[in-house]
Amino acid sequence: MKKLLLDNHKLTWHPNRIKSWAAGERIPPITIDCSLTQACTYKCVYCYGQLQYNPGNSLSRDVIMRFLDDCADIGVKAVSFVSDGESTCSPHLYDAILHGKKNGLDMALGTNGFLLKDERLAEILPALTYLRFNITAAEPSRYAEIHGCKEECYHKVLNTIRQCVVIKKQEQLDVTIGLQMVLMPTFQDQILPLAKLGKELGVDYLVIKHCSDDEDGSLGVDYDGYDQCIDLLKSAEKLSTDTYQVQAKWSKILSGGKRCYSQCYGPPFILQMSGTGLVAPCGMLFNERYKKYHIGNISDMSFKEIWQGERYWQVMDLIASEQFDARIMCGTLCLQHKVNEFLWHYKHGEAELTVPEGPSPQHINFI
């Protein structure tokens, strides 16, 4: 199996985009992480989405398709439907995946899987680079408790995962099928059972990631408590095989929620968009309290016009300036964190721009 890079970034496989940015050019994002709605069928206890609320619009089919057309037109390489909502709640999800792929974009979906229509799997799997199921427990009762749903949801989701694996194998598809566990120290009893379940289901990987929190610690993430999980995480990783990878995001889990950088350079490369259509530098800044960083809404203006507009670049320049301090002015361990680390070191002459030797990992456009 070609290597999956699950605890780092892939920005260095895009040297020309980095050089253009360093020269002061206005670059299109490589990856856009977005949602088609803010709605969700679950109420996960760790959900950062509850901290991201912003008033906006219900995204129509026309708006979504125009957005995907604009992405292809300006040079975006990949779009992942993840962000602050459950995109399976949108009736336009399946058409959006197929339209994005037709436009030449790499498409991906992160979902709890409950509303994912089994009868549409054979249609969308060939169009996806990866399909990731968010699942934080391997036992039905714990699943219901952590995800804020009924136990029957657990059984439906597992059946859908199994069908995805069957279709992938039968059709010999390139799509990567994975599981993601959002780990809080109180969930450590599920680490090994989930690693074993992933192996049984036949998925390609299980990634075990940290839980983000805002600058006020609203979710109460005990970052010191992650130290208690180290041995369990190492044992889980030992269940990896040639066809199944278990990976803890060590660099974030053991970071204590701290950053080495103060300015934010990552969003021009990996941008986020809310399920309300709001374009902002990152998901940490979706909430109305961060309105000074909001750029526009794709329901009011095309994404291409937003990207070309002065407001977009004013906000990007602001978060990259000394007027912004990512260590205290936004949430912890954001999507752009690893990209930010590299760009900070590169900007300050502490890292060189060299393309890694050897074969590239999977999914290089999802940086």
Side-chain angles (χ1 to χ4, degrees):
M1 184 172 66
K2 196 175 182 182
K3 184 180 179 183
L4 281 163
L5 197 60
L6 298 172
D7 187 27
N8 210 320
H9 66 89
K10 310 180 194 81
L11 185 58
T12 45
W13 277 273
H14 302 272
N16 292 336
R17 200 70 62 103
I18 299 173
K19 291 175 183 176
S20 296
W21 168 80
E25 296 180 23
R26 295 182 170 185
I27 61 169
I30 298 169
T31 309
I32 296 181
D33 179 278
C34 59
S35 183
L36 300 180
T37 177
Q38 267 195 332
C40 188
T41 48
Y42 286 9
K43 292 184 179 180
C44 303
V45 299
Y46 56 79
C47 181
Y48 198 91
Q50 63 189 288
L51 309 177
Q52 294 174 297
Y53 175 77
N54 63 89
N57 306 282
S58 176
L59 298 181
S60 69
R61 186 184 188 281
D62 288 345
V63 166
I64 294 167
M65 299 305 162
R66 182 181 68 185
F67 164 71
L68 293 167
D69 290 341
D70 286 344
C71 287
D73 189 35
I74 69 173
V76 175
K77 296 186 177 184
V79 173
S80 54
F81 292 137
V82 186
S83 199
D84 60 340
E86 173 56 55
S87 288
T88 57
C89 293
S90 169
H92 312 301
L93 170 67
Y94 305 95
D95 288 346
I97 291 171
L98 298 174
H99 189 74
K101 181 65 174 179
K102 184 180 178 181
N103 278 354
L105 298 166
D106 285 352
M107 301 299 298
L109 173 63
T111 174
N112 60 41
F114 179 64
L115 289 184
L116 198 56
K117 297 179 179 179
D118 294 348
E119 65 270 21
R120 301 294 299 267
L121 294 175
E123 186 179 6
I124 63 169
L125 284 173
L128 291 171
T129 298
Y130 71 80
L131 172 57
R132 188 184 70 215
F133 291 88
N134 301 316
I135 176 170
T136 296
E139 299 164 357
S141 60
R142 287 289 275 149
Y143 182 94
E145 175 189 359
I146 293 170
H147 287 292
C149 63
K150 297 180 179 179
E151 287 190 23
E152 65 191 53
C153 299
Y154 170 87
H155 300 291
K156 187 277 173 189
V157 170
L158 258 60
N159 184 61
T160 295
I161 295 171
R162 291 189 179 99
Q163 290 195 52
C164 288
V165 172
V166 168
I167 293 169
K168 173 182 174 171
K169 291 180 178 178
Q170 287 180 343
E171 301 301 322
Q172 298 182 334
L173 301 177
D174 290 331
V175 60
T176 302
I177 300 170
L179 310 180
Q180 176 177 270
M181 177 187 197
V182 179
L183 177 64
M184 295 182 81
T186 52
F187 305 159
Q188 61 183 285
D189 62 300
Q190 294 300 300
I191 293 174
L192 279 174
L194 194 54
K196 293 174 182 177
L197 177 61
K199 195 171 189 176
E200 173 196 323
L201 291 171
V203 298
D204 297 303
Y205 71 87
L206 164 67
V207 61
I208 305 170
K209 62 168 286 186
H210 62 291
C211 183
S212 295
D213 209 340
D214 67 7
E215 64 268 39
D216 299 322
S218 299
L219 296 179
V221 183
D222 177 16
Y223 288 109
D224 292 334
Y226 282 129
D227 290 340
Q228 306 166 12
C229 305
I230 292 175
D231 290 342
L232 284 170
L233 290 169
K234 288 182 177 178
S235 295
E237 288 187 333
K238 290 179 181 177
L239 294 174
S240 299
T241 67
D242 290 341
T243 57
Y244 174 57
Q245 182 175 339
V246 180
Q247 175 70 62
K249 286 199 171 186
W250 293 108
S251 64
K252 291 186 176 182
I253 288 173
L254 299 182
S255 71
K258 306 299 182 183
R259 289 179 164 96
C260 68
Y261 53 89
S262 51
Q263 278 74 62
C264 184
Y265 301 134
F269 297 90
I270 177 168
L271 183 73
Q272 288 185 276
M273 188 180 80
S274 170
T276 65
L278 169 70
V279 178
C282 71
M284 299 290 185
L285 301 176
F286 284 167
N287 193 283
E288 276 289 280
R289 66 191 282 194
Y290 307 110
K291 196 167 184 176
K292 67 182 290 186
Y293 305 108
H294 293 178
I295 299 168
N297 193 294
I298 63 168
S299 289
D300 303 325
M301 183 185 299
S302 75
F303 178 70
K304 184 176 181 179
E305 291 174 308
I306 292 173
W307 173 74
Q308 291 174 332
E310 288 304 312
R311 173 66 180 168
Y312 184 99
W313 294 104
Q314 287 169 358
V315 172
M316 294 301 175
D317 289 343
L318 175 58
I319 62 174
S321 74
E322 293 185 358
Q323 297 177 53
F324 186 83
D325 189 340
R327 295 169 297 184
I328 58 173
M329 296 175 72
C330 59
T332 60
L333 302 176
C334 60
L335 177 69
Q336 294 85 352
H337 179 67
K338 298 304 293 184
V339 168
N340 270 328
E341 283 186 335
F342 169 77
L343 291 172
W344 175 265
H345 293 308
Y346 175 67
K347 186 92 169 177
H348 290 80
E350 299 166 0
E352 296 183 359
L353 179 54
T354 55
V355 179
E357 296 181 359
S360 62
Q362 294 189 51
H363 317 158
I364 62 168
N365 290 330
F366 295 94
I367 60 171

